[in-house]
């Protein structure tokens, strides 16, 4: 099937040759074509160019995009979309003055979600999670990483990863699965942390690897959660089973998680709300993508990742949602891009690069996703009529998406 899209007001993130990521000053450059055409063949981008050079095309479907912008779909490289129930009560408790930490310390937080998850059937978790996946697809997300980490038991973790696998089989969206058994210590292991680490390494990881249920391994490296040493153990074991690390670091404290991630060649280090100059220095000249999660900062009222300092230091940045029931009950990448511009002072060009090609890098798919490049997946956002692409972050509360194309097909 051939689809021809004509009269595109501006086609964004056009990359003649495939690039892996953009860093530092390159982040400010968003290559575009004005008054463009785009041809899709089945699930791939076949061709694009200026309308004046439009070739004779035998299309099955022609779409006139006058006044509209097209960009690649968002690549959301950090989510916890698979969970059971919600944590609305904790949200109200925080409004009433309790901190995220206080709530976690009295058995709320991740352990609250783990309890709910272990009490819920796999089918029910799938039903709840698929609604969130469908929602984010309609919001323009075309690739998503999903973590386990609310099981914290072998059965619970496997259950979550099987739900992720089933979502990947049933939806036309690239899904990468991350094993996050090291999200929190279960209550019965509170006094025996080494015992839980041992369970992760000797019981969970082998089973997960054998069943090919995960692509990456994660740990929440944070005061009160997993120490740098424990995180290193988890990464080392994950690597032995072929899982590259992508880790939670520097959300509330800078304790050396970034350096540990770099040591183990992590694909990404995520959160980065609390960054000191040594953390920024450590990331220079590495292959590790720093990932910022501004809607988490927004929801918890914690600092935003210092994007300007990081870009000035020559680093790349990716943007993701962190969609989860506790710290970010939202999977809206449009809001993430707007918040990055408004609160982190990223320019629209930087934010769009961070949410497309750099997000693709942070989930290991930049060869197939994240830019308008011949041969890449035909995953597109077609906007409503807009004055310019600046509208995307500027009109932060509006839904400017007219349609989403996933693998060449319009999402119904
Ligand atoms: O990325 N920080 C660790 N994990 C999640 C939140 C988990 C939760 O509160 O349920 C995050 O913010
Ligand atoms: Fe997270």
């Amino acid at each position: 099937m051939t689809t021809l899209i004509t009269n595109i007001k501006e086609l964004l993130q056009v990359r003649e040759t495939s690039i892996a990521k953009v860093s530092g000053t390159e982040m400010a450059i968003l290559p575009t074509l004005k008054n463009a055409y785009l041809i899709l063949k089945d699930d791939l981008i076949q061709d694009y160019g200026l309308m004046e050079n439009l070739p004779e095309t035998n299309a099955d479907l022609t779409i006139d995009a006058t006044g509209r912008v097209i960009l690649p779909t968002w690549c959301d490289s950090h989510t916890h979309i698979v969970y059971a129930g919600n944590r609305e009560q904790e949200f109200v408790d925080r409004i009433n003055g309790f901190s995220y930490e206080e709530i976690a310390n009295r058995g709320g937080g991740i352990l609250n979600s783990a309890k709910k998850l272990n009490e819920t059937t796999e089918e029910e978790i799938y039903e709840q999670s698929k609604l969130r996946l469908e929602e984010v697809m309609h919001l323009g997300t075309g690739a998503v990483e999903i973590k386990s980490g609310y099981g914290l038991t072998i059965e619970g973790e496997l259950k979550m990863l099987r739900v992720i696998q089933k979502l990947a089989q049933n939806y036309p969206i690239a899904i990468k699965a991350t094993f996050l058994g090291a999200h929190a210590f279960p209550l019965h292991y509170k006094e025996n942390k080494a015992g839980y680490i041992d369970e992760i390494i000797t019981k969970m990881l082998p089973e997960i690897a054998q069943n090919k249920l995960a692509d990456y391994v994660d740990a929440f490296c944070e005061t009160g959660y997993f120490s740098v040493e424990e995180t290193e153990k988890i990464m080392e074991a994950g690597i032995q089973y072929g899982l590259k690390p992508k880790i939670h670091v520097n959300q509330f404290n800078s304790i050396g998680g970034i350096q540990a991630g770099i040591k183990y060649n992590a694909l990404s280090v995520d959160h980065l709300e609390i960054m000191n100059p040594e953390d920024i220095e450590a990331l220079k000249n590495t292959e590790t993508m720093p990932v910022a999660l501004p809607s988490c900062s927004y929801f918890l009222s914690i600092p935003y990742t210092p994007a300007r300092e990081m870009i000035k230091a020559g680093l790349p940045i990716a943007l993701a949602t962190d969609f989860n029931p506790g710290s970010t009950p939202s999977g809206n990448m449009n809001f993430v891009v707007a918040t990055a511009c408004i609160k982190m002072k990223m320019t629209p060009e930087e934010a769009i690069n961070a949410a497309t090609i750099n997000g693709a890098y942070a989930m290991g798919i930049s060869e197939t996703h994240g830019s308008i490049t011949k041969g890449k997946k035909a995953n597109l956002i077609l906007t409503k009529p807009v004055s310019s692409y600046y509208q995307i972050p500027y009109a932060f509360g509006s839904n400017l998406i007219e349609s989403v194309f996933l693998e060449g097909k319009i999402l119904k």
Side-chain angles (χ1 to χ4, degrees):
M1 151 127 183
T2 300
T3 303
L4 168 66
I5 310 176
T6 58
N7 302 311
I8 304 163
K9 182 178 177 118
E10 199 160 2
L11 180 61
L12 311 187
Q13 191 60 298
V14 178
R15 305 276 176 177
E16 193 73 33
T17 48
S18 187
I19 51 162
K21 61 177 181 206
V22 285
S23 309
T25 52
E26 291 168 358
M27 286 198 63
I29 301 163
L30 183 71
T32 75
L33 285 180
K34 286 188 173 149
N35 197 19
Y37 72 87
L38 182 61
I39 301 171
L40 316 177
K41 174 88 178 128
D42 301 327
D43 60 332
L44 301 178
I45 295 169
Q46 186 180 56
D47 193 16
Y48 59 79
L50 296 175
M51 275 308 283
E52 61 202 51
N53 301 326
L54 175 64
E56 188 77 32
T57 308
N58 221 335
D60 302 291
L61 173 68
T62 301
I63 295 166
D64 182 356
T66 298
R68 293 151 172 87
V69 163
I70 289 186
L71 66 156
T73 49
W74 309 122
C75 295
D76 188 355
S77 67
H78 180 138
T79 83
H80 311 248
I81 279 180
V82 170
Y83 59 82
N86 64 66
R87 305 232 296 272
E88 289 164 0
Q89 186 54 51
E90 293 180 10
F91 167 62
V92 177
D93 292 344
R94 277 190 303 103
I95 293 171
N96 287 323
F98 292 93
S99 70
Y100 183 81
E101 194 180 359
E102 284 164 338
I103 291 166
N105 286 344
R106 59 170 205 215
I110 295 167
L111 295 185
N112 180 357
S113 287
K115 186 167 182 289
K116 291 190 167 83
L117 186 121
N118 282 294
E119 289 167 356
T120 307
T121 65
E122 191 163 327
E123 291 67 33
E124 176 59 22
I125 297 164
Y126 177 81
E127 290 304 314
Q128 292 183 19
S129 304
K130 80 173 199 199
L131 297 179
R132 289 186 281 270
L133 184 67
E134 288 169 7
E135 183 195 4
V136 303
M137 287 163 64
H138 284 280
L139 289 167
T141 295
V144 65
E145 180 260 18
I146 310 176
K147 299 171 193 297
S148 68
Y150 291 122
L152 310 181
T153 57
I154 184 155
E155 300 77 22
E157 289 295 307
L158 288 169
K159 185 157 81 169
M160 287 187 79
L161 290 165
R162 282 193 301 265
V163 169
I164 299 172
Q165 187 180 52
K166 194 166 160 197
L167 291 170
Q169 284 161 357
N170 293 348
Y171 287 89
I173 170 170
I175 295 183
K176 291 286 180 182
T178 300
F179 169 52
L180 176 56
H183 200 187
F185 285 97
L187 268 188
H188 57 284
Y189 275 115
K190 221 176 164 192
E191 304 307 324
N192 176 20
K193 294 191 168 170
Y196 186 55
I197 305 272
D198 194 58
E199 182 166 332
I200 291 176
I201 294 176
T202 63
K203 299 224 170 67
M204 297 186 193
L205 265 172
E207 183 91 17
I208 288 162
Q210 203 193 345
N211 292 295
K212 296 196 169 43
L213 284 170
D215 304 288
Y216 301 109
V217 64
D218 194 349
F220 185 18
C221 183
E222 181 59 63
T223 308
Y225 294 83
F226 291 79
S227 68
V228 169
E229 205 189 335
E230 289 159 345
T231 302
E232 289 196 351
K233 275 197 185 138
I234 303 285
M235 287 192 285
E236 204 168 303
I239 290 167
Q240 276 171 12
Y241 285 101
L243 309 183
K244 208 174 163 106
K246 270 172 76 64
I247 58 173
H248 281 74
V249 296
N250 293 50
Q251 183 175 7
F252 302 110
N253 298 282
S254 170
I255 59 169
I258 290 178
Q259 290 76 359
I262 291 165
K263 182 170 154 194
Y264 286 88
N265 198 23
L267 180 59
S268 70
V269 284
D270 303 26
H271 269 291
L272 315 177
E273 288 88 342
I274 306 299
M275 295 286 277
N276 62 37
E278 296 79 66
D279 294 323
I280 294 180
E281 197 55 39
L283 282 161
K284 286 185 183 170
N285 304 313
T286 72
E287 297 297 305
T288 299
M289 176 64 71
V291 179
L293 309 167
S295 39
C296 176
S297 299
Y298 176 83
F299 190 72
L300 292 186
S301 299
I302 60 176
Y304 288 86
T305 301
R308 287 266 54 93
E309 285 165 55
M310 292 165 65
I311 293 172
K312 197 169 155 210
L315 301 183
I317 293 183
L319 289 167
T321 62
D322 198 18
F323 197 174
N324 76 75
S327 72
T328 323
S330 163
N332 188 342
M333 281 294 284
N334 308 283
F335 179 77
V336 165
V337 166
T339 307
C341 293
I342 296 162
K343 295 293 186 185
M344 293 159 64
K345 302 291 174 208
M346 290 175 77
T347 64
E349 293 77 13
E350 288 170 338
I352 293 170
N353 272 320
T356 55
I357 191 66
N358 283 1
Y361 179 93
M363 49 194 299
I365 58 167
S366 47
E367 279 182 17
T368 49
H369 292 75
S371 65
I372 303 295
T373 303
K374 289 177 196 171
K376 279 199 178 184
K377 285 282 176 203
N379 282 9
L380 315 167
I381 293 173
L382 169 66
T383 70
K384 294 172 185 166
V386 287
S387 45
S388 82
Y389 67 79
Y390 288 175
Q391 283 282 322
I392 297 168
Y394 169 79
F396 70 93
S398 302
N399 184 350
L400 297 177
I401 298 178
E402 187 166 283
S403 46
V404 176
F405 290 73
L406 292 178
E407 306 197 335
K409 292 201 186 82
I410 297 176
L411 190 64
K412 289 280 178 302

